[in-house]
């Protein structure tokens, strides 16, 4: 008997798209239910775009974009957003960098002015560069060098799975590369990647569409036109022989392991990719999931286990190549070899026997709930649509994702599990170095 699937309707968000003469793509999604707006600008440049010798530059430049712009002094962006009762931030990903605000709807023009001003040009000075290099170095110390399991596995596993510089290098950056960066390097990076033709602006929430179009044309229309650069080729072949490495983390109190397998192209072969997104949740989401039940509750071989798509954890904002990741922390004296053997056993069992009654429907319902919660907030909607517009030209896909997840079948999940073979696996093991000092 076929395994039951969740019946999840699509959410039809209103979407309007247009492109300014300078190449800036715009997505509007009005929602008049609350007097709040989300504004997001996404540039098609991320960690994978960094040139050799400039590791960490995409993230460093994200910091520089907050250090003043053509008409605004340092910290003015912060003051203008917070003064209107809003919040703001930015983040660097493998394939893009985003900048965003949530504001009362009467502050729409303020947000558009701020984003347009730094799109024309951030304030790139020696003082700002040196200051932000120091900030980024301190962030690396806090988040990687002086933290147990720092960089595990998002920094430590890619060089095991991948061979090319774009996919394998340390996206946080080396201190040598960061310290050697010059203002001329930063200006060149801006000219190349922060072009209007390489960006998407999305506005969601309490907007009048006609008024929003007028304001966007007013503030962004005269941003100098520069085309999007040619995107680098990130392709590389899949593994045919298992790869495995280990390193000692002097701050880690307990052993840990993470494994990754390549998955289909998330954009070019989306239908084949979706079952892997569901598979990761079947394996690890909740106490009733396969690996939690087996490894945590029954065998007590690990203290925690998780699974997800993409090294930064969001399955719908990444290009190929990417991977399905499983990671686990083990108790004192834990046996990593046994954990990996158990992973293989559970994947084989799923591939041969399929899912239990209600297992697929339960997983799909949880996934849909998470997706709907993320896009219920106006900022989540703006960010999601901006990235989908940029990478696929389909911002409306955001509302269809829950329904598409619900259409994945038992057979597709089984077939996906069958491809996660040991010979296609890359693993990295953390050897504990004695815990906190």
């Amino acid at each position: 008997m076929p395994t039951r699937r969740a019946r999840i309707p699509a959410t039809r968000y209103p979407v309007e798209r247009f492109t300014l003469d300078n190449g800036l793509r715009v997505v509007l999604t009005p929602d008049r239910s609350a007097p709040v707006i989300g504004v997001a600008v996404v540039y098609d440049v991320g960690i994978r775009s960094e040139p050799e010798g400039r590791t960490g530059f995409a993230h460093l430049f994200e910091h520089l974009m907050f250090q003043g712009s053509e008409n605004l002094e340092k910290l003015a962006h912060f003051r203008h957003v917070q003064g209107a009762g809003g919040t703001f931030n930015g983040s660097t990903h493998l394939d893009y960098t985003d900048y965003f605000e949530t504001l009362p709807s009467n502050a729409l023009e303020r947000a558009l002015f701020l984003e347009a001003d730094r799109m024309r040009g951030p304030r790139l000075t020696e003082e700002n560069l040196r200051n932000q290099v120091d900030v980024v170095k301190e962030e690396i110390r806090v988040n990687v060098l002086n933290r147990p399991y720092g960089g595990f596995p998002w920094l430590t596993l890619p060089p095991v799975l991948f061979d090319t510089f774009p996919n394998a290098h340390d996206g946080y950056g080396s201190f040598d590369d960061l310290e050697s960066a010059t203002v001329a390097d930063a200006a060149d990076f801006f000219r190349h990647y922060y072009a209007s033709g390489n960006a998407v602006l999305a506005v969601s929430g309490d907007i009048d569409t006609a008024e929003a179009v007028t304001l966007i044309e007013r503030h962004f229309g005269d941003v100098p036109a520069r085309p999007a650069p040619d995107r680098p080729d990130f392709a590389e072949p899949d593994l045919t022989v298992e790869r495995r490495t280990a390193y000692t983390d002097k701050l880690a109190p307990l052993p840990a392991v993470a494994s990754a397998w390549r998955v289909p192209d998330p954009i070019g072969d989306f239908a084949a990719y979706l079952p892997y997104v569901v598979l990761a949740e079947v394996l690890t989401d909740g106490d009733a999931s396969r690996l939690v039940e087996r490894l945590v509750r029954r065998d007590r071989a690990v203290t925690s286990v998780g699974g997800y798509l993409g090294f930064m954890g969001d399955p719908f904002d990444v290009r190929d190549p990417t991977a399905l990741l499983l990671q686990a922390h083990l108790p004192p004296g834990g046996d990593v070899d046994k954990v990996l053997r158990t992973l293989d056993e559970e994947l084989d069992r799923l591939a041969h026997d399929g899912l239990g009654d209600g297992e697929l429907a339960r997983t799909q319902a949880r996934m849909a709930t998470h997706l709907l919660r993320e896009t219920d907030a106006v900022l989540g909607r703006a960010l999601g649509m901006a990235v989908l517009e940029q990478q696929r030209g389909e911002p409306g896909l955001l509302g269809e994702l829950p329904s598409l997840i619900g259409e994945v079948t038992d057979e597709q999940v089984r077939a996906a599990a069958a491809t996660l073979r040991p010979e296609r696996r890359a693993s990295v093991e953390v050897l504990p170095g004695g815990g906190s000092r």
Side-chain angles (χ1 to χ4, degrees):
M1 185 177 70
T3 302
R4 286 187 296 112
R5 290 179 287 163
R7 296 185 179 182
I8 303 165
T11 303
R12 302 296 179 192
Y13 298 120
V15 178
E16 296 203 29
R17 307 162 63 216
F18 61 97
T19 302
L20 298 183
D21 291 342
N22 58 16
L24 177 67
R25 286 179 281 167
V26 181
V27 178
L28 303 178
T29 174
D31 178 351
R32 311 305 294 266
S33 60
V36 180
I37 55 167
V39 177
V41 178
V42 174
Y43 294 89
D44 198 345
V45 55
I47 289 169
R48 286 202 268 211
S49 300
E50 296 171 343
E52 293 193 49
R54 285 290 170 262
T55 60
F57 213 89
H59 176 229
L60 171 63
F61 205 88
E62 176 213 322
H63 282 250
L64 290 172
M65 286 286 279
F66 285 97
Q67 302 306 303
S69 54
E70 189 172 270
N71 294 295
L72 295 171
E73 72 278 11
K74 191 171 183 175
L75 302 182
H77 192 112
F78 301 26
R79 206 164 49 245
H80 284 302
V81 174
Q82 293 173 334
T87 59
F88 65 93
N89 213 331
S91 58
T92 309
H93 302 253
L94 289 178
D95 293 309
Y96 66 93
T97 305
D98 57 24
Y99 303 87
F100 47 88
E101 297 87 18
T102 302
L103 289 155
S105 53
N106 61 6
L108 172 62
E109 185 165 16
R110 180 178 299 209
L112 296 175
F113 164 76
L114 293 170
E115 290 297 351
D117 202 57
R118 62 179 168 187
M119 184 179 286
R120 288 188 193 90
R123 194 164 290 201
L124 301 176
T125 66
E126 184 68 22
E127 178 187 1
N128 283 345
L129 178 60
R130 300 275 70 88
N131 174 267
Q132 292 310 302
V133 165
D134 288 343
V135 170
V136 171
K137 286 167 61 180
E138 184 60 22
E139 190 174 324
I140 294 170
R141 291 187 187 100
V142 170
N143 292 336
V144 180
L145 301 180
N146 297 322
R147 171 179 291 186
Y149 312 103
F152 171 79
W154 78 277
L155 293 178
T156 57
L157 189 49
V160 187
L161 179 64
F162 297 122
D163 294 320
T164 65
F165 174 81
N167 298 314
H169 77 274
D170 180 346
Y172 242 143
S174 75
F175 281 15
D176 286 346
D177 283 357
L178 291 167
E179 290 166 353
S180 66
T182 67
V183 172
D185 293 330
D188 183 64
F189 194 85
F190 175 78
R191 282 192 301 270
H192 192 66
Y193 291 110
Y194 277 70
S196 52
N198 207 38
V200 173
L201 164 69
V203 183
S204 175
D206 184 22
I207 57 171
D208 175 271
T209 300
E211 178 189 12
V213 170
T214 299
L215 292 175
I216 289 166
E217 290 176 338
R218 177 185 303 167
H219 290 284
F220 286 90
D222 64 350
V223 173
R226 300 198 312 278
D230 292 335
R231 190 178 305 116
D233 181 8
F234 304 139
E236 58 182 279
D238 195 2
L239 298 187
T240 56
V241 177
E242 182 178 14
R243 293 181 180 178
R244 185 170 166 183
T245 190
Y247 68 97
T248 298
D249 182 337
K250 64 183 180 180
L251 299 178
L254 298 169
V257 65
S259 296
W261 297 258
R262 290 277 297 276
V263 296
D265 184 339
I267 296 175
D269 199 1
F270 190 52
Y273 174 77
L274 274 177
Y276 290 87
V277 182
V278 177
L279 172 61
E281 301 297 311
V282 167
L283 292 171
T284 64
D285 187 30
D287 289 345
S289 63
R290 294 288 178 112
L291 296 181
V292 173
E293 173 65 30
R294 172 75 187 273
L295 286 168
V296 179
R297 296 165 65 89
R298 191 170 82 186
D299 294 357
R300 300 187 185 275
V302 306
T303 57
S304 66
V305 62
Y308 47 96
L309 270 292
F311 288 90
M312 302 185 83
D314 191 328
F316 303 117
D317 72 352
V318 67
R319 294 188 172 105
D320 191 60
T322 188
L324 184 151
L325 277 73
L326 297 174
Q327 68 180 80
H329 288 76
L330 284 66
D335 186 340
V336 168
D337 289 332
K338 181 180 178 182
V339 170
L340 294 178
R341 286 196 302 271
T342 304
L343 289 182
D344 294 335
E345 290 172 12
E346 288 300 311
L347 289 167
D348 285 343
R349 186 165 71 91
L350 179 55
H352 288 105
D353 300 339
L355 293 95
D357 185 43
E359 186 177 8
L360 180 58
R362 180 182 68 242
T363 301
Q364 290 167 320
R366 287 170 65 102
M367 295 176 71
T369 299
H370 293 156
L371 286 167
L372 292 167
R373 185 183 297 124
E374 289 170 4
T375 56
D376 186 54
V378 290
L379 182 58
R381 210 172 305 163
L383 282 167
M385 287 196 176
V387 175
L388 290 171
E389 167 65 34
Q390 184 178 83
Q391 296 185 350
R392 303 167 183 268
E394 295 182 78
L397 181 63
L398 189 70
E400 299 173 19
L401 288 174
S403 177
L404 292 171
I405 288 292
E407 293 174 6
V408 172
T409 66
D410 172 87
E411 291 76 14
Q412 289 173 315
V413 175
R414 291 174 63 178
T419 69
L420 304 190
R421 307 302 307 154
E423 62 270 17
R424 297 184 60 243
R425 179 172 63 207
S427 299
V428 62
E429 178 181 354
V430 179
L431 305 173
S436 59
R437 293 175 292 180

